[in-house]
Short mmCIF file of all heavy atoms in Angstrom, two decimals:
data_model
loop_
_atom_site.label_atom_id
_atom_site.label_comp_id
_atom_site.label_asym_id
_atom_site.label_seq_id
_atom_site.Cartn_x
_atom_site.Cartn_y
_atom_site.Cartn_z
N ALA B 483 88.38 150.13 64.51
CA ALA B 483 88.23 148.76 64.99
C ALA B 483 89.62 148.14 65.17
O ALA B 483 90.57 148.51 64.50
CB ALA B 483 87.43 147.93 63.99
N GLN B 488 97.49 136.27 64.24
CA GLN B 488 98.59 135.39 64.63
C GLN B 488 98.99 134.63 63.37
O GLN B 488 98.18 133.93 62.78
CB GLN B 488 98.16 134.47 65.76
CG GLN B 488 97.94 135.25 67.05
CD GLN B 488 97.62 134.36 68.23
OE1 GLN B 488 96.54 134.46 68.81
NE2 GLN B 488 98.55 133.50 68.60
N ASP B 490 100.94 132.21 62.55
CA ASP B 490 101.16 130.77 62.45
C ASP B 490 100.09 130.05 63.27
O ASP B 490 99.94 130.32 64.44
CB ASP B 490 102.54 130.39 62.99
CG ASP B 490 103.64 131.17 62.32
OD1 ASP B 490 103.87 130.95 61.13
OD2 ASP B 490 104.25 132.02 63.00
N GLU B 497 112.31 120.06 71.81
CA GLU B 497 112.64 120.47 73.17
C GLU B 497 114.01 121.14 73.21
O GLU B 497 114.93 120.72 72.52
CB GLU B 497 112.61 119.26 74.10
CG GLU B 497 112.60 119.58 75.57
CD GLU B 497 112.43 118.35 76.44
OE1 GLU B 497 112.65 117.23 75.94
OE2 GLU B 497 112.06 118.51 77.61
N PRO B 500 114.84 127.26 70.57
CA PRO B 500 114.15 128.54 70.75
C PRO B 500 112.88 128.57 69.92
O PRO B 500 112.73 127.83 68.95
CB PRO B 500 115.18 129.55 70.22
CG PRO B 500 115.95 128.78 69.19
CD PRO B 500 116.03 127.38 69.70
N ARG B 504 104.38 134.60 66.39
CA ARG B 504 104.22 135.93 65.83
C ARG B 504 102.81 136.47 65.99
O ARG B 504 101.83 135.73 65.83
CB ARG B 504 104.62 135.92 64.37
CG ARG B 504 106.09 135.56 64.15
CD ARG B 504 106.43 135.56 62.68
NE ARG B 504 105.74 134.50 61.94
CZ ARG B 504 105.69 134.43 60.62
NH1 ARG B 504 106.26 135.39 59.89
NH2 ARG B 504 105.07 133.44 60.03
N PHE B 516 98.62 141.69 75.16
CA PHE B 516 98.70 140.57 76.09
C PHE B 516 98.99 139.28 75.33
O PHE B 516 98.60 139.11 74.17
CB PHE B 516 97.35 140.40 76.82
CG PHE B 516 96.85 141.64 77.51
CD1 PHE B 516 96.15 142.61 76.81
CD2 PHE B 516 97.07 141.82 78.86
CE1 PHE B 516 95.69 143.75 77.45
CE2 PHE B 516 96.61 142.95 79.51
CZ PHE B 516 95.92 143.91 78.81
N SER B 534 102.64 150.00 78.98
CA SER B 534 103.40 151.19 78.61
C SER B 534 104.84 150.96 79.04
O SER B 534 105.16 149.94 79.65
CB SER B 534 102.83 152.44 79.27
OG SER B 534 102.98 152.35 80.68
N SER B 536 108.82 150.20 78.90
CA SER B 536 109.80 149.40 78.16
C SER B 536 109.11 148.48 77.16
O SER B 536 108.12 147.82 77.48
CB SER B 536 110.63 148.55 79.13
OG SER B 536 111.45 147.65 78.40
N GLY B 541 107.75 137.77 81.02
CA GLY B 541 106.59 137.15 81.65
C GLY B 541 106.96 135.92 82.44
O GLY B 541 108.11 135.71 82.79
N ASN B 550 106.61 146.36 69.11
CA ASN B 550 107.20 147.14 68.04
C ASN B 550 106.10 147.96 67.40
O ASN B 550 105.30 147.45 66.61
CB ASN B 550 107.86 146.20 67.02
CG ASN B 550 108.66 146.98 65.97
OD1 ASN B 550 108.23 148.03 65.51
ND2 ASN B 550 109.82 146.47 65.62
N LYS B 551 106.06 149.24 67.76
CA LYS B 551 104.96 150.09 67.31
C LYS B 551 105.01 150.32 65.80
O LYS B 551 103.97 150.31 65.14
CB LYS B 551 104.99 151.43 68.05
CG LYS B 551 103.79 152.30 67.78
CD LYS B 551 103.81 153.54 68.65
CE LYS B 551 102.57 154.39 68.41
NZ LYS B 551 102.57 155.61 69.26
N GLN B 553 106.09 148.39 63.47
CA GLN B 553 105.68 147.20 62.73
C GLN B 553 104.38 146.61 63.27
O GLN B 553 103.94 145.56 62.79
CB GLN B 553 106.80 146.15 62.79
CG GLN B 553 108.08 146.61 62.12
CD GLN B 553 109.09 145.49 61.93
OE1 GLN B 553 108.83 144.35 62.25
NE2 GLN B 553 110.25 145.84 61.39
N THR B 554 103.79 147.28 64.22
CA THR B 554 102.53 146.83 64.86
C THR B 554 102.60 145.34 65.19
O THR B 554 101.73 144.55 64.82
CB THR B 554 101.29 147.15 64.01
OG1 THR B 554 101.38 146.48 62.73
CG2 THR B 554 101.14 148.63 63.79
N HIS B 557 105.59 140.02 69.16
CA HIS B 557 105.99 138.62 69.04
C HIS B 557 106.44 138.05 70.37
O HIS B 557 107.13 138.71 71.14
CB HIS B 557 107.10 138.46 68.01
CG HIS B 557 106.74 138.93 66.63
ND1 HIS B 557 105.46 138.95 66.16
CD2 HIS B 557 107.53 139.41 65.62
CE1 HIS B 557 105.44 139.41 64.92
NE2 HIS B 557 106.68 139.71 64.57
N ARG B 559 108.56 135.18 72.54
CA ARG B 559 109.76 134.38 72.36
C ARG B 559 110.11 133.63 73.64
O ARG B 559 109.78 134.05 74.74
CB ARG B 559 110.96 135.26 71.98
CG ARG B 559 110.78 136.07 70.72
CD ARG B 559 112.06 136.81 70.36
NE ARG B 559 111.85 137.66 69.20
CZ ARG B 559 111.61 138.97 69.25
NH1 ARG B 559 111.56 139.57 70.43
NH2 ARG B 559 111.44 139.66 68.16
N LYS B 560 110.79 132.49 73.43
CA LYS B 560 111.38 131.77 74.55
C LYS B 560 112.66 131.13 74.04
O LYS B 560 112.65 130.49 72.98
CB LYS B 560 110.42 130.71 75.10
CG LYS B 560 110.95 130.03 76.37
CD LYS B 560 109.91 129.17 77.05
CE LYS B 560 110.49 128.57 78.33
NZ LYS B 560 109.49 127.75 79.08
N PRO B 561 113.77 131.30 74.74
CA PRO B 561 115.05 130.82 74.23
C PRO B 561 115.19 129.30 74.24
O PRO B 561 115.95 128.75 73.44
CB PRO B 561 116.08 131.47 75.16
CG PRO B 561 115.34 131.86 76.38
CD PRO B 561 113.92 132.09 75.98
N ALA B 569 100.95 123.84 74.27
CA ALA B 569 99.66 124.49 74.61
C ALA B 569 99.26 125.38 73.44
O ALA B 569 99.96 125.50 72.45
CB ALA B 569 99.79 125.30 75.89
N GLN B 580 88.12 151.38 75.82
CA GLN B 580 87.44 150.22 75.25
C GLN B 580 86.80 149.38 76.34
O GLN B 580 86.30 148.29 76.06
CB GLN B 580 88.45 149.36 74.47
CG GLN B 580 89.12 150.09 73.33
CD GLN B 580 88.27 150.13 72.09
OE1 GLN B 580 87.78 149.11 71.64
NE2 GLN B 580 88.07 151.31 71.55
N PHE B 586 91.02 138.94 70.57
CA PHE B 586 92.00 137.86 70.49
C PHE B 586 92.32 137.49 69.04
O PHE B 586 91.48 137.61 68.14
CB PHE B 586 91.46 136.60 71.18
CG PHE B 586 91.47 136.68 72.67
CD1 PHE B 586 90.39 137.20 73.36
CD2 PHE B 586 92.54 136.19 73.39
CE1 PHE B 586 90.38 137.26 74.74
CE2 PHE B 586 92.55 136.23 74.78
CZ PHE B 586 91.47 136.77 75.45
N GLY B 589 94.94 132.16 67.65
CA GLY B 589 95.72 131.22 68.42
C GLY B 589 96.82 130.55 67.61
O GLY B 589 96.71 130.38 66.40
N GLU B 591 99.09 127.01 68.02
CA GLU B 591 99.31 125.76 68.76
C GLU B 591 100.80 125.44 68.77
O GLU B 591 101.39 125.17 67.72
CB GLU B 591 98.52 124.62 68.13
CG GLU B 591 98.65 123.30 68.86
CD GLU B 591 97.92 122.17 68.15
OE1 GLU B 591 97.11 122.45 67.25
OE2 GLU B 591 98.19 121.01 68.49
N LEU B 592 101.40 125.52 69.95
CA LEU B 592 102.81 125.18 70.09
C LEU B 592 102.92 123.72 70.50
O LEU B 592 102.35 123.31 71.51
CB LEU B 592 103.47 126.08 71.14
CG LEU B 592 104.93 125.76 71.47
CD1 LEU B 592 105.83 125.97 70.25
CD2 LEU B 592 105.42 126.61 72.64
N SER B 593 103.66 122.97 69.71
CA SER B 593 103.85 121.54 69.99
C SER B 593 105.34 121.29 70.17
O SER B 593 106.12 121.43 69.22
CB SER B 593 103.28 120.72 68.83
OG SER B 593 103.54 119.35 69.04
N VAL B 594 105.73 120.92 71.39
CA VAL B 594 107.14 120.69 71.70
C VAL B 594 107.39 119.19 71.69
O VAL B 594 106.76 118.44 72.44
CB VAL B 594 107.51 121.30 73.05
CG1 VAL B 594 109.01 121.07 73.33
CG2 VAL B 594 107.19 122.79 73.08
N PRO B 596 110.02 115.80 71.90
CA PRO B 596 111.27 115.40 72.58
C PRO B 596 112.38 115.11 71.58
O PRO B 596 112.15 114.90 70.41
CB PRO B 596 110.87 114.12 73.34
CG PRO B 596 109.69 113.60 72.62
CD PRO B 596 108.96 114.79 72.05
#
Side-chain angles (χ1 to χ4, degrees):
Chain B
Q488 291 184 242
D490 306 292
E497 194 174 18
R504 297 180 294 167
F516 306 83
S534 65
S536 173
N550 188 320
K551 188 174 182 180
Q553 297 192 2
T554 60
H557 300 333
R559 301 186 184 99
K560 186 170 182 178
Q580 300 278 309
F586 285 89
E591 182 183 346
L592 175 64
S593 176
V594 182

